[in-house]
Amino acid sequence: MAAFGTVFIPEMAISWFDGNSWSPAEIVSSESIQLHPGAHVLHYSSTCFEGLKAFRHEDGSVNIFRMDRNIERFSQSSELLALPEIDKDATGKMIIDIVSRFKDDVPEPPGSMYIRPTHFGTEPAIGKAASPSVTSCQYILLSPVGDYFAGGDTTLRLLLEEDGARCAAHMGMIKSGGNYASALRPIMKAKEEFNADQVLFCPNGDVQETGAANFLLIDGNEVITKALDESFLHGVTRDSILTLARDLGMDVQERQLTIDELLERAAKPGCEAALSGTAAVLTPVGTLIHNGKDYPVGNGGIGATTLKLRQALNDIQWGKAEDKHGWLTRI
Ligand SMILES: *Cc1c(COP(=O)(O)O)cnc(C)c1O
């Protein structure tokens, strides 16, 4: 099977901001876009994106999960990067239009259609290192994706990184390209030196998140994760899982979690940890690596509560459980 995110639907929705207004959205080929080599984004990383999914239900309908929440974050990322303001309704319409057009290409569960809105500064002005791009472009790119867990469920190994940071502290809540580039070297090093799958960034011992997913500790009836601040990405999956955990009567704690507390709790037999994000929903973490030593989380295997929470979310996405919180946009 093709790697996640490498297959694209041949057309996309696109709109350009000329400094005054957004052009009417168009459907164009997704093969290429034309940009001036001096475009602001290529020099000063004025770019942000979103990741959300559309799911096929048994009744033949296609349903987009938490579109409003993702558009809200897209708008906020654009604002924090000093990109032109997006028109949230117009972006929503672009998403619905392009997904509707390729409705037949939305895979059956456990597959889905991954939706990638992208917004970037296009102004040809290499002298603008310290000022924003006046013009920009947004497009909605689609990528059909298969079962993330097709190879069977495994657990992840996470390296706890206290010294480095994923990105600049004030950039953490922005879904912006530069943040991922800045995290690459520490992740590559962790893979090479510790056979880690991901780095769990813990600046000054404060457990934050990995390169592209949020971290949750599940200890019996307690779910513990960092409280929202501007230093990390506010995952929609994180919010959804916490909501479902509260619905199940679990004790959800959004607060600071130190490496010391994490390792202490992880040593208990029933403890679980997981990463949350749109691509994989909830992925079990089996091992934490700290100061060159491996620490299994609980028994190091796949946690039952992790699977239960993932299933509860999948059931809503796949139309098998009631959408009590109004998370689906049906098209
Ligand atoms: C996208 C992302 C997440 C997960 O967000 P979701 O909305 O759940 O997909 C977490 N951390 C980072 C750094 C991300 O880019």
Side-chain angles (χ1 to χ4, degrees), residues 73 166 175 180 209-214 233 235-238 276-278:
R73 191 170 66 188
R166 185 178 80 90
K175 217 166 169 71
Y180 303 85
E209 67 168 336
T210 65
N214 295 122
L233 209 284
V236 176
T237 314
R238 170 192 177 281
S276 75
T278 293

Side-chain angles (χ1 to χ4, degrees), residues 66 216-225 237-254 282 305-306 308-313 316 324-325 327:
R66 303 201 73 174
L216 291 92
L217 182 68
I218 303 168
D219 185 4
N221 196 45
E222 295 170 89
V223 182
I224 304 167
T225 194
T237 314
R238 170 192 177 281
D239 180 79
S240 307
I241 291 288
L242 295 186
T243 301
L244 295 177
R246 285 191 190 99
D247 288 351
L248 290 168
M250 295 184 76
D251 173 14
V252 174
Q253 301 168 31
E254 293 178 75
L282 211 50
T305 307
T306 301
K308 183 171 85 176
L309 288 167
R310 185 208 290 168
Q311 191 65 51
L313 187 55
I316 295 172
K324 273 200 290 196
H325 300 282
W327 286 340

Side-chain angles (χ1 to χ4, degrees), residues 125-328:
I126 55 173
K128 280 198 151 186
S131 48
S133 177
V134 166
T135 59
S136 69
C137 171
Q138 64 172 314
Y139 59 70
I140 316 292
L141 185 62
L142 300 180
S143 172
V145 295
D147 182 5
Y148 196 90
F149 298 101
D153 238 327
T154 53
T155 58
L156 299 178
R157 289 169 55 79
L158 303 188
L159 176 72
L160 306 185
E161 169 64 62
E162 277 179 87
D163 300 327
R166 185 178 80 90
C167 61
H170 70 291
M171 295 291 288
M173 67 189 285
I174 313 175
K175 217 166 169 71
S176 182
N179 288 349
Y180 303 85
S182 92
L184 284 179
R185 295 271 297 181
I187 297 169
M188 287 163 65
K189 191 161 167 266
K191 286 185 177 168
E192 221 171 87
E193 288 181 18
F194 298 100
N195 189 29
D197 297 298
Q198 287 295 331
V199 173
L200 179 55
F201 292 95
C202 309
N204 304 312
D206 176 31
V207 177
Q208 198 180 58
E209 67 168 336
T210 65
N214 295 122
F215 178 81
L216 291 92
L217 182 68
I218 303 168
D219 185 4
N221 196 45
E222 295 170 89
V223 182
I224 304 167
T225 194
K226 186 174 167 61
L228 298 179
D229 67 21
E230 68 175 14
S231 73
F232 76 107
L233 209 284
H234 303 178
V236 176
T237 314
R238 170 192 177 281
D239 180 79
S240 307
I241 291 288
L242 295 186
T243 301
L244 295 177
R246 285 191 190 99
D247 288 351
L248 290 168
M250 295 184 76
D251 173 14
V252 174
Q253 301 168 31
E254 293 178 75
R255 61 166 172 87
Q256 193 177 43
L257 174 66
T258 62
I259 288 186
D260 289 344
E261 183 184 354
L262 171 60
L263 293 179
E264 193 184 307
R265 286 188 180 252
K268 294 198 262 169
C271 197
E272 302 176 25
L275 294 185
S276 75
T278 293
V281 181
L282 211 50
T283 310
V285 173
T287 308
L288 303 170
I289 309 158
H290 184 55
N291 291 339
K293 206 176 142 215
D294 279 12
Y295 295 86
V297 180
N299 64 9
I302 298 166
T305 307
T306 301
L307 291 184
K308 183 171 85 176
L309 288 167
R310 185 208 290 168
Q311 191 65 51
L313 187 55
N314 279 153
D315 282 348
I316 295 172
Q317 292 173 327
W318 298 341
K320 299 198 156 124
E322 190 196 342
D323 176 24
K324 273 200 290 196
H325 300 282
W327 286 340
L328 300 177

